[in-house]
Amino acid sequence: MSKQSMREEAERLVREAMEKRTLAIKQGNTRIDAVCGKCGAPNRLSAERGATRVKFACKECGHKQETL
Ligand SMILES: [Zn+2]
């Protein structure tokens, strides 16, 4: 396999992976990175598609809050 075709193959794989990820986001929940307002810990949340405010409890301190 030539370097050119190897590069094209790698680009194709990256493109396919990105398309799959986009599809997954469209179909399922979105991920929101929220920072706890009390202790500042990062919390990764999954939310309904289109949801902007998500209630969650901080995984570090348990503080209940909503994303902004
Ligand atoms: Zn916290």
Side-chain angles (χ1 to χ4, degrees):
M1 206 185 273
S2 69
K3 277 185 181 171
Q4 172 69 19
S5 60
M6 278 176 73
R7 191 161 55 233
E8 282 173 1
E9 175 72 1
E11 283 172 2
R12 190 179 63 80
L13 290 173
V14 168
R15 206 161 38 237
E16 279 182 6
M18 282 173 69
E19 281 167 8
K20 269 183 205 150
R21 201 174 310 152
T22 306
L23 212 63
I25 289 168
K26 276 180 189 162
Q27 285 172 344
N29 292 344
T30 55
R31 293 225 176 258
I32 296 176
D33 287 312
V35 175
C36 175
K38 194 176 175 188
C39 72
N43 285 262
R44 176 149 291 184
L45 317 168
S46 66
E48 294 277 313
R49 187 158 51 93
T52 52
R53 294 183 73 87
V54 182
K55 286 185 180 146
F56 71 102
C58 174
K59 66 178 165 67
E60 289 295 326
C61 70
H63 181 62
K64 290 194 176 77
Q65 59 204 292
E66 277 186 2
T67 58
L68 298 177

Short mmCIF file of all heavy atoms in Angstrom, two decimals:
data_model
loop_
_atom_site.label_atom_id
_atom_site.label_comp_id
_atom_site.label_asym_id
_atom_site.label_seq_id
_atom_site.Cartn_x
_atom_site.Cartn_y
_atom_site.Cartn_z
N MET A 1 0.85 -1.19 0.00
CA MET A 1 0.00 0.00 0.00
C MET A 1 0.89 1.25 0.00
O MET A 1 1.86 1.33 0.75
CB MET A 1 -0.89 -0.01 1.25
CG MET A 1 -2.19 0.77 1.06
SD MET A 1 -3.12 0.85 2.59
CE MET A 1 -4.05 -0.67 2.51
N SER A 2 0.58 2.20 -0.84
CA SER A 2 1.39 3.41 -0.92
C SER A 2 1.07 4.35 0.24
O SER A 2 0.03 4.20 0.91
CB SER A 2 1.13 4.13 -2.23
OG SER A 2 -0.17 4.67 -2.23
N LYS A 3 1.97 5.30 0.45
CA LYS A 3 1.71 6.28 1.52
C LYS A 3 0.44 7.07 1.23
O LYS A 3 -0.33 7.39 2.12
CB LYS A 3 2.89 7.25 1.62
CG LYS A 3 4.03 6.70 2.47
CD LYS A 3 5.11 7.73 2.65
CE LYS A 3 6.25 7.14 3.47
NZ LYS A 3 7.40 8.03 3.50
N GLN A 4 0.25 7.38 -0.05
CA GLN A 4 -0.93 8.15 -0.45
C GLN A 4 -2.22 7.40 -0.09
O GLN A 4 -3.11 7.96 0.53
CB GLN A 4 -0.85 8.42 -1.96
CG GLN A 4 -2.11 9.05 -2.55
CD GLN A 4 -2.32 10.48 -2.10
OE1 GLN A 4 -1.39 11.14 -1.63
NE2 GLN A 4 -3.54 10.96 -2.21
N SER A 5 -2.28 6.13 -0.44
CA SER A 5 -3.52 5.38 -0.17
C SER A 5 -3.69 5.11 1.32
O SER A 5 -4.80 5.06 1.82
CB SER A 5 -3.54 4.08 -0.97
OG SER A 5 -2.44 3.27 -0.60
N MET A 6 -2.57 4.98 2.03
CA MET A 6 -2.68 4.82 3.49
C MET A 6 -3.25 6.07 4.13
O MET A 6 -4.07 6.01 5.04
CB MET A 6 -1.30 4.51 4.11
CG MET A 6 -0.91 3.04 3.99
SD MET A 6 0.74 2.75 4.60
CE MET A 6 0.48 2.91 6.37
N ARG A 7 -2.82 7.22 3.62
CA ARG A 7 -3.33 8.48 4.17
C ARG A 7 -4.82 8.63 3.85
O ARG A 7 -5.61 9.05 4.69
CB ARG A 7 -2.54 9.67 3.60
CG ARG A 7 -2.84 10.97 4.33
CD ARG A 7 -1.78 12.03 4.10
NE ARG A 7 -1.56 12.28 2.69
CZ ARG A 7 -0.38 12.24 2.09
NH1 ARG A 7 0.70 11.98 2.76
NH2 ARG A 7 -0.27 12.49 0.79
N GLU A 8 -5.18 8.27 2.65
CA GLU A 8 -6.60 8.36 2.27
C GLU A 8 -7.45 7.42 3.12
O GLU A 8 -8.55 7.78 3.53
CB GLU A 8 -6.75 8.03 0.78
CG GLU A 8 -6.35 9.19 -0.09
CD GLU A 8 -6.33 8.81 -1.57
OE1 GLU A 8 -6.65 7.64 -1.89
OE2 GLU A 8 -5.98 9.68 -2.38
N GLU A 9 -6.93 6.26 3.38
CA GLU A 9 -7.64 5.29 4.22
C GLU A 9 -7.81 5.85 5.64
O GLU A 9 -8.90 5.77 6.23
CB GLU A 9 -6.86 3.97 4.25
CG GLU A 9 -7.41 2.92 5.19
CD GLU A 9 -8.71 2.30 4.67
OE1 GLU A 9 -9.16 2.67 3.58
OE2 GLU A 9 -9.26 1.45 5.38
N ALA A 10 -6.76 6.44 6.18
CA ALA A 10 -6.83 7.01 7.52
C ALA A 10 -7.85 8.14 7.57
O ALA A 10 -8.64 8.24 8.51
CB ALA A 10 -5.45 7.53 7.95
N GLU A 11 -7.85 8.97 6.54
CA GLU A 11 -8.81 10.09 6.49
C GLU A 11 -10.24 9.58 6.41
O GLU A 11 -11.15 10.13 7.01
CB GLU A 11 -8.50 11.00 5.30
CG GLU A 11 -7.30 11.91 5.57
CD GLU A 11 -6.89 12.68 4.32
OE1 GLU A 11 -7.55 12.53 3.28
OE2 GLU A 11 -5.88 13.40 4.42
N ARG A 12 -10.40 8.50 5.66
CA ARG A 12 -11.74 7.93 5.52
C ARG A 12 -12.25 7.40 6.87
O ARG A 12 -13.40 7.62 7.24
CB ARG A 12 -11.71 6.78 4.49
CG ARG A 12 -13.09 6.28 4.10
CD ARG A 12 -12.99 5.17 3.07
NE ARG A 12 -12.28 3.99 3.58
CZ ARG A 12 -12.84 3.06 4.38
NH1 ARG A 12 -14.09 3.19 4.76
NH2 ARG A 12 -12.15 2.03 4.80
N LEU A 13 -11.36 6.74 7.61
CA LEU A 13 -11.75 6.20 8.91
C LEU A 13 -12.13 7.32 9.87
O LEU A 13 -13.10 7.21 10.62
CB LEU A 13 -10.61 5.37 9.50
CG LEU A 13 -10.34 4.04 8.79
CD1 LEU A 13 -9.09 3.38 9.36
CD2 LEU A 13 -11.53 3.10 8.92
N VAL A 14 -11.36 8.39 9.85
CA VAL A 14 -11.66 9.54 10.72
C VAL A 14 -13.01 10.13 10.35
O VAL A 14 -13.83 10.43 11.22
CB VAL A 14 -10.54 10.61 10.61
CG1 VAL A 14 -10.98 11.92 11.27
CG2 VAL A 14 -9.26 10.09 11.24
N ARG A 15 -13.24 10.27 9.06
CA ARG A 15 -14.50 10.86 8.61
C ARG A 15 -15.68 9.98 9.03
O ARG A 15 -16.70 10.48 9.51
CB ARG A 15 -14.47 11.03 7.08
CG ARG A 15 -15.38 12.14 6.60
CD ARG A 15 -15.01 12.61 5.19
NE ARG A 15 -14.60 11.53 4.30
CZ ARG A 15 -13.43 11.48 3.67
NH1 ARG A 15 -12.55 12.43 3.83
NH2 ARG A 15 -13.14 10.48 2.87
N GLU A 16 -15.53 8.69 8.89
CA GLU A 16 -16.60 7.78 9.28
C GLU A 16 -16.87 7.83 10.78
O GLU A 16 -18.01 7.83 11.22
CB GLU A 16 -16.25 6.34 8.87
CG GLU A 16 -16.53 6.07 7.41
CD GLU A 16 -16.20 4.64 7.05
OE1 GLU A 16 -15.88 3.85 7.95
OE2 GLU A 16 -16.28 4.33 5.85
N ALA A 17 -15.81 7.91 11.56
CA ALA A 17 -15.96 7.99 13.02
C ALA A 17 -16.70 9.25 13.40
O ALA A 17 -17.56 9.26 14.28
CB ALA A 17 -14.59 7.94 13.70
N MET A 18 -16.37 10.35 12.73
CA MET A 18 -17.03 11.62 13.04
C MET A 18 -18.50 11.57 12.66
O MET A 18 -19.35 12.09 13.37
CB MET A 18 -16.34 12.77 12.30
CG MET A 18 -15.05 13.18 12.99
SD MET A 18 -14.13 14.39 12.03
CE MET A 18 -15.20 15.80 12.19
N GLU A 19 -18.80 10.94 11.53
CA GLU A 19 -20.20 10.83 11.10
C GLU A 19 -21.00 9.99 12.08
O GLU A 19 -22.13 10.31 12.40
CB GLU A 19 -20.27 10.22 9.70
CG GLU A 19 -19.96 11.25 8.62
CD GLU A 19 -19.71 10.60 7.27
OE1 GLU A 19 -19.92 9.39 7.14
OE2 GLU A 19 -19.30 11.33 6.36
N LYS A 20 -20.41 8.92 12.57
CA LYS A 20 -21.08 8.07 13.54
C LYS A 20 -21.36 8.84 14.83
O LYS A 20 -22.42 8.72 15.42
CB LYS A 20 -20.21 6.85 13.87
CG LYS A 20 -20.49 5.67 12.98
CD LYS A 20 -19.66 4.48 13.40
CE LYS A 20 -19.44 3.52 12.22
NZ LYS A 20 -18.18 2.81 12.33
N ARG A 21 -20.39 9.65 15.25
CA ARG A 21 -20.55 10.41 16.49
C ARG A 21 -21.66 11.44 16.32
O ARG A 21 -22.48 11.63 17.20
CB ARG A 21 -19.23 11.12 16.83
CG ARG A 21 -19.12 11.49 18.28
CD ARG A 21 -17.75 12.07 18.59
NE ARG A 21 -16.67 11.23 18.09
CZ ARG A 21 -15.47 11.68 17.73
NH1 ARG A 21 -15.20 12.95 17.79
NH2 ARG A 21 -14.55 10.86 17.31
N THR A 22 -21.69 12.10 15.18
CA THR A 22 -22.73 13.09 14.93
C THR A 22 -24.10 12.42 14.97
O THR A 22 -25.04 12.94 15.56
CB THR A 22 -22.52 13.73 13.54
OG1 THR A 22 -21.20 14.25 13.50
CG2 THR A 22 -23.50 14.86 13.31
N LEU A 23 -24.18 11.24 14.38
CA LEU A 23 -25.43 10.50 14.35
C LEU A 23 -25.86 10.14 15.78
O LEU A 23 -27.02 10.29 16.14
CB LEU A 23 -25.22 9.22 13.54
CG LEU A 23 -26.43 8.70 12.77
CD1 LEU A 23 -26.84 9.74 11.73
CD2 LEU A 23 -26.08 7.40 12.07
N ALA A 24 -24.92 9.70 16.60
CA ALA A 24 -25.23 9.31 17.97
C ALA A 24 -25.76 10.50 18.76
O ALA A 24 -26.70 10.37 19.54
CB ALA A 24 -23.99 8.74 18.65
N ILE A 25 -25.18 11.67 18.52
CA ILE A 25 -25.63 12.87 19.22
C ILE A 25 -27.05 13.23 18.78
O ILE A 25 -27.89 13.58 19.58
CB ILE A 25 -24.66 14.04 18.96
CG1 ILE A 25 -23.35 13.78 19.69
CG2 ILE A 25 -25.27 15.36 19.43
CD1 ILE A 25 -22.21 14.70 19.29
N LYS A 26 -27.29 13.10 17.49
CA LYS A 26 -28.62 13.45 16.98
C LYS A 26 -29.68 12.52 17.52
O LYS A 26 -30.79 12.94 17.82
CB LYS A 26 -28.62 13.38 15.45
CG LYS A 26 -28.10 14.64 14.80
CD LYS A 26 -28.13 14.50 13.29
CE LYS A 26 -27.41 15.67 12.62
NZ LYS A 26 -27.06 15.34 11.25
N GLN A 27 -29.33 11.24 17.66
CA GLN A 27 -30.33 10.25 18.05
C GLN A 27 -30.57 10.22 19.55
O GLN A 27 -31.68 10.07 20.00
CB GLN A 27 -29.90 8.86 17.58
CG GLN A 27 -30.08 8.70 16.08
CD GLN A 27 -29.46 7.41 15.58
OE1 GLN A 27 -28.67 6.80 16.29
NE2 GLN A 27 -29.80 7.01 14.38
N GLY A 28 -29.50 10.33 20.31
CA GLY A 28 -29.63 10.12 21.75
C GLY A 28 -29.52 11.39 22.56
O GLY A 28 -29.85 12.47 22.10
N ASN A 29 -29.02 11.20 23.75
CA ASN A 29 -28.88 12.32 24.67
C ASN A 29 -27.61 13.09 24.35
O ASN A 29 -26.68 12.58 23.78
CB ASN A 29 -28.81 11.81 26.10
CG ASN A 29 -30.13 11.23 26.54
OD1 ASN A 29 -31.15 11.47 25.91
ND2 ASN A 29 -30.11 10.46 27.60
N THR A 30 -27.62 14.34 24.80
CA THR A 30 -26.43 15.15 24.65
C THR A 30 -25.67 15.14 25.96
O THR A 30 -26.24 14.91 27.03
CB THR A 30 -26.78 16.60 24.30
OG1 THR A 30 -27.68 17.10 25.28
CG2 THR A 30 -27.42 16.68 22.94
N ARG A 31 -24.39 15.39 25.87
CA ARG A 31 -23.56 15.43 27.06
C ARG A 31 -23.30 16.88 27.43
O ARG A 31 -23.02 17.70 26.59
CB ARG A 31 -22.24 14.71 26.82
CG ARG A 31 -22.40 13.24 26.62
CD ARG A 31 -21.36 12.47 27.41
NE ARG A 31 -21.59 11.02 27.30
CZ ARG A 31 -22.16 10.33 28.25
NH1 ARG A 31 -22.57 10.91 29.36
NH2 ARG A 31 -22.31 9.05 28.12
N ILE A 32 -23.43 17.16 28.71
CA ILE A 32 -23.19 18.51 29.19
C ILE A 32 -22.10 18.44 30.26
O ILE A 32 -22.16 17.61 31.15
CB ILE A 32 -24.48 19.12 29.79
CG1 ILE A 32 -25.53 19.27 28.69
CG2 ILE A 32 -24.18 20.46 30.46
CD1 ILE A 32 -26.87 19.77 29.22
N ASP A 33 -21.12 19.30 30.13
CA ASP A 33 -20.10 19.41 31.16
C ASP A 33 -20.48 20.56 32.07
O ASP A 33 -20.50 21.71 31.64
CB ASP A 33 -18.72 19.65 30.54
CG ASP A 33 -18.19 18.38 29.88
OD1 ASP A 33 -18.25 17.32 30.54
OD2 ASP A 33 -17.72 18.45 28.74
N ALA A 34 -20.84 20.24 33.29
CA ALA A 34 -21.26 21.27 34.24
C ALA A 34 -20.26 21.33 35.39
O ALA A 34 -19.67 20.33 35.77
CB ALA A 34 -22.64 20.95 34.78
N VAL A 35 -20.07 22.53 35.90
CA VAL A 35 -19.19 22.70 37.05
C VAL A 35 -20.06 22.98 38.26
O VAL A 35 -20.94 23.83 38.22
CB VAL A 35 -18.21 23.87 36.81
CG1 VAL A 35 -17.36 24.12 38.05
CG2 VAL A 35 -17.31 23.55 35.61
N CYS A 36 -19.82 22.26 39.33
CA CYS A 36 -20.60 22.44 40.55
C CYS A 36 -20.44 23.87 41.08
O CYS A 36 -19.33 24.38 41.17
CB CYS A 36 -20.13 21.43 41.60
SG CYS A 36 -20.95 21.66 43.20
N GLY A 37 -21.57 24.50 41.41
CA GLY A 37 -21.54 25.85 41.91
C GLY A 37 -21.06 25.94 43.35
O GLY A 37 -20.77 27.02 43.85
N LYS A 38 -20.97 24.81 44.01
CA LYS A 38 -20.59 24.82 45.42
C LYS A 38 -19.10 24.49 45.59
O LYS A 38 -18.36 25.22 46.22
CB LYS A 38 -21.45 23.82 46.18
CG LYS A 38 -21.37 23.98 47.68
CD LYS A 38 -22.35 23.00 48.34
CE LYS A 38 -22.21 23.06 49.85
NZ LYS A 38 -23.00 22.00 50.48
N CYS A 39 -18.69 23.35 45.00
CA CYS A 39 -17.31 22.92 45.21
C CYS A 39 -16.46 23.04 43.94
O CYS A 39 -15.24 22.89 44.01
CB CYS A 39 -17.27 21.48 45.72
SG CYS A 39 -17.70 20.24 44.49
N GLY A 40 -17.09 23.33 42.81
CA GLY A 40 -16.33 23.54 41.58
C GLY A 40 -15.91 22.28 40.87
O GLY A 40 -15.15 22.33 39.91
N ALA A 41 -16.40 21.13 41.30
CA ALA A 41 -16.04 19.87 40.65
C ALA A 41 -16.72 19.77 39.30
O ALA A 41 -17.87 20.15 39.16
CB ALA A 41 -16.44 18.69 41.53
N PRO A 42 -16.02 19.24 38.31
CA PRO A 42 -16.66 19.02 37.01
C PRO A 42 -17.59 17.83 37.06
O PRO A 42 -17.27 16.80 37.66
CB PRO A 42 -15.47 18.77 36.08
CG PRO A 42 -14.39 18.24 36.96
CD PRO A 42 -14.62 18.83 38.32
N ASN A 43 -18.77 17.96 36.48
CA ASN A 43 -19.74 16.88 36.41
C ASN A 43 -20.15 16.68 34.97
O ASN A 43 -20.52 17.64 34.29
CB ASN A 43 -20.99 17.23 37.24
CG ASN A 43 -20.74 17.10 38.73
OD1 ASN A 43 -21.07 16.10 39.34
ND2 ASN A 43 -20.14 18.12 39.33
N ARG A 44 -20.07 15.45 34.51
CA ARG A 44 -20.51 15.14 33.15
C ARG A 44 -21.92 14.61 33.21
O ARG A 44 -22.18 13.62 33.86
CB ARG A 44 -19.56 14.14 32.50
CG ARG A 44 -20.04 13.73 31.11
CD ARG A 44 -18.91 13.41 30.21
NE ARG A 44 -18.16 14.62 29.87
CZ ARG A 44 -17.14 14.64 29.03
NH1 ARG A 44 -16.73 13.54 28.48
NH2 ARG A 44 -16.53 15.75 28.76
N LEU A 45 -22.83 15.29 32.52
CA LEU A 45 -24.23 14.92 32.56
C LEU A 45 -24.70 14.51 31.19
O LEU A 45 -24.19 14.98 30.19
CB LEU A 45 -25.07 16.12 33.01
CG LEU A 45 -24.53 16.95 34.17
CD1 LEU A 45 -25.29 18.23 34.28
CD2 LEU A 45 -24.61 16.15 35.45
N SER A 46 -25.70 13.65 31.15
CA SER A 46 -26.37 13.41 29.89
C SER A 46 -27.76 14.02 30.00
O SER A 46 -28.41 13.93 31.03
CB SER A 46 -26.44 11.92 29.58
OG SER A 46 -27.27 11.27 30.51
N ALA A 47 -28.18 14.67 28.93
CA ALA A 47 -29.44 15.40 28.96
C ALA A 47 -30.25 15.06 27.73
O ALA A 47 -29.71 14.66 26.70
CB ALA A 47 -29.18 16.90 29.03
N GLU A 48 -31.54 15.24 27.82
CA GLU A 48 -32.40 15.09 26.66
C GLU A 48 -31.94 16.06 25.59
O GLU A 48 -31.52 17.17 25.89
CB GLU A 48 -33.85 15.44 27.05
CG GLU A 48 -34.48 14.50 28.04
CD GLU A 48 -35.05 13.27 27.38
OE1 GLU A 48 -35.75 13.41 26.37
OE2 GLU A 48 -34.76 12.17 27.86
N ARG A 49 -32.07 15.63 24.36
CA ARG A 49 -31.69 16.49 23.26
C ARG A 49 -32.53 17.78 23.31
O ARG A 49 -33.74 17.73 23.46
CB ARG A 49 -31.93 15.78 21.93
CG ARG A 49 -31.43 16.52 20.74
CD ARG A 49 -31.22 15.56 19.59
NE ARG A 49 -32.40 14.74 19.35
CZ ARG A 49 -33.36 15.06 18.48
NH1 ARG A 49 -33.27 16.15 17.78
NH2 ARG A 49 -34.39 14.27 18.32
N GLY A 50 -31.88 18.92 23.22
CA GLY A 50 -32.58 20.19 23.23
C GLY A 50 -32.77 20.77 24.62
O GLY A 50 -33.15 21.92 24.76
N ALA A 51 -32.49 19.97 25.65
CA ALA A 51 -32.64 20.48 27.00
C ALA A 51 -31.50 21.44 27.31
O ALA A 51 -30.35 21.18 26.97
CB ALA A 51 -32.63 19.33 28.00
N THR A 52 -31.84 22.55 27.94
CA THR A 52 -30.80 23.52 28.28
C THR A 52 -30.55 23.57 29.77
O THR A 52 -29.45 23.84 30.21
CB THR A 52 -31.17 24.93 27.77
OG1 THR A 52 -32.48 25.24 28.23
CG2 THR A 52 -31.10 25.00 26.26
N ARG A 53 -31.58 23.33 30.56
CA ARG A 53 -31.40 23.31 32.02
C ARG A 53 -31.60 21.89 32.52
O ARG A 53 -32.63 21.28 32.29
CB ARG A 53 -32.40 24.26 32.68
CG ARG A 53 -32.13 25.71 32.33
CD ARG A 53 -33.10 26.62 33.06
NE ARG A 53 -32.79 26.71 34.47
CZ ARG A 53 -31.93 27.58 35.00
NH1 ARG A 53 -31.31 28.42 34.23
NH2 ARG A 53 -31.70 27.61 36.28
N VAL A 54 -30.60 21.39 33.19
CA VAL A 54 -30.64 20.01 33.67
C VAL A 54 -30.39 20.00 35.16
O VAL A 54 -29.44 20.60 35.65
CB VAL A 54 -29.57 19.16 32.96
CG1 VAL A 54 -29.65 17.72 33.42
CG2 VAL A 54 -29.73 19.25 31.45
N LYS A 55 -31.29 19.33 35.88
CA LYS A 55 -31.08 19.19 37.32
C LYS A 55 -30.08 18.07 37.57
O LYS A 55 -30.17 17.01 36.93
CB LYS A 55 -32.40 18.87 38.02
CG LYS A 55 -33.33 20.07 38.10
CD LYS A 55 -34.57 19.73 38.89
CE LYS A 55 -35.48 20.96 38.96
NZ LYS A 55 -36.88 20.65 38.94
N PHE A 56 -29.17 18.30 38.45
CA PHE A 56 -28.22 17.24 38.80
C PHE A 56 -27.71 17.45 40.21
O PHE A 56 -27.82 18.53 40.78
CB PHE A 56 -27.06 17.20 37.80
CG PHE A 56 -26.09 18.36 37.92
CD1 PHE A 56 -24.87 18.18 38.56
CD2 PHE A 56 -26.38 19.60 37.38
CE1 PHE A 56 -23.97 19.23 38.67
CE2 PHE A 56 -25.49 20.66 37.48
CZ PHE A 56 -24.28 20.47 38.13
N ALA A 57 -27.18 16.38 40.76
CA ALA A 57 -26.53 16.45 42.06
C ALA A 57 -25.04 16.23 41.84
O ALA A 57 -24.64 15.29 41.15
CB ALA A 57 -27.10 15.39 43.00
N CYS A 58 -24.24 17.09 42.40
CA CYS A 58 -22.79 17.02 42.22
C CYS A 58 -22.26 15.67 42.70
O CYS A 58 -22.64 15.18 43.75
CB CYS A 58 -22.14 18.15 43.00
SG CYS A 58 -20.33 18.05 42.99
N LYS A 59 -21.39 15.08 41.89
CA LYS A 59 -20.86 13.76 42.26
C LYS A 59 -19.84 13.86 43.39
O LYS A 59 -19.53 12.88 44.03
CB LYS A 59 -20.25 13.07 41.04
CG LYS A 59 -19.00 13.75 40.48
CD LYS A 59 -18.47 12.93 39.29
CE LYS A 59 -17.46 13.70 38.46
NZ LYS A 59 -16.22 14.00 39.16
N GLU A 60 -19.31 15.07 43.60
CA GLU A 60 -18.31 15.24 44.65
C GLU A 60 -18.94 15.56 46.01
O GLU A 60 -18.64 14.94 47.01
CB GLU A 60 -17.33 16.35 44.27
CG GLU A 60 -16.38 15.99 43.13
CD GLU A 60 -15.42 14.85 43.50
OE1 GLU A 60 -15.02 14.76 44.67
OE2 GLU A 60 -15.11 14.06 42.60
N CYS A 61 -19.84 16.56 46.01
CA CYS A 61 -20.38 17.02 47.29
C CYS A 61 -21.88 16.75 47.44
O CYS A 61 -22.44 16.96 48.51
CB CYS A 61 -20.08 18.51 47.49
SG CYS A 61 -21.02 19.58 46.38
N GLY A 62 -22.52 16.30 46.36
CA GLY A 62 -23.93 15.97 46.44
C GLY A 62 -24.87 17.17 46.37
O GLY A 62 -26.08 17.02 46.50
N HIS A 63 -24.32 18.36 46.14
CA HIS A 63 -25.11 19.58 46.06
C HIS A 63 -26.05 19.52 44.86
O HIS A 63 -25.62 19.32 43.73
CB HIS A 63 -24.16 20.78 45.95
CG HIS A 63 -24.88 22.10 45.87
ND1 HIS A 63 -25.68 22.55 46.89
CD2 HIS A 63 -24.90 23.05 44.91
CE1 HIS A 63 -26.17 23.75 46.54
NE2 HIS A 63 -25.72 24.07 45.35
N LYS A 64 -27.36 19.68 45.13
CA LYS A 64 -28.33 19.64 44.04
C LYS A 64 -28.46 21.01 43.41
O LYS A 64 -28.53 22.02 44.10
CB LYS A 64 -29.69 19.20 44.59
CG LYS A 64 -29.73 17.75 45.01
CD LYS A 64 -31.16 17.27 45.21
CE LYS A 64 -31.21 15.79 45.53
NZ LYS A 64 -30.85 15.54 46.95
N GLN A 65 -28.47 21.03 42.07
CA GLN A 65 -28.48 22.30 41.35
C GLN A 65 -28.95 22.07 39.93
O GLN A 65 -29.22 20.95 39.52
CB GLN A 65 -27.07 22.89 41.34
CG GLN A 65 -26.05 21.96 40.68
CD GLN A 65 -24.65 22.23 41.17
OE1 GLN A 65 -24.09 23.27 40.89
NE2 GLN A 65 -24.08 21.27 41.91
N GLU A 66 -29.05 23.17 39.18
CA GLU A 66 -29.39 23.09 37.76
C GLU A 66 -28.25 23.69 36.95
O GLU A 66 -27.59 24.63 37.41
CB GLU A 66 -30.66 23.90 37.47
CG GLU A 66 -31.93 23.16 37.75
CD GLU A 66 -33.14 23.97 37.30
OE1 GLU A 66 -32.97 25.07 36.73
OE2 GLU A 66 -34.26 23.50 37.52
N THR A 67 -28.08 23.14 35.75
CA THR A 67 -27.09 23.77 34.86
C THR A 67 -27.63 25.11 34.41
O THR A 67 -28.83 25.32 34.33
CB THR A 67 -26.82 22.89 33.63
OG1 THR A 67 -28.04 22.68 32.95
CG2 THR A 67 -26.22 21.56 34.03
N LEU A 68 -26.72 26.01 34.07
CA LEU A 68 -27.13 27.34 33.62
C LEU A 68 -27.48 27.32 32.14
O LEU A 68 -26.90 26.57 31.39
CB LEU A 68 -26.00 28.33 33.87
CG LEU A 68 -25.64 28.49 35.35
CD1 LEU A 68 -24.46 29.44 35.49
CD2 LEU A 68 -26.83 29.06 36.14
ZN ZN B 1 -20.01 19.91 44.32
#
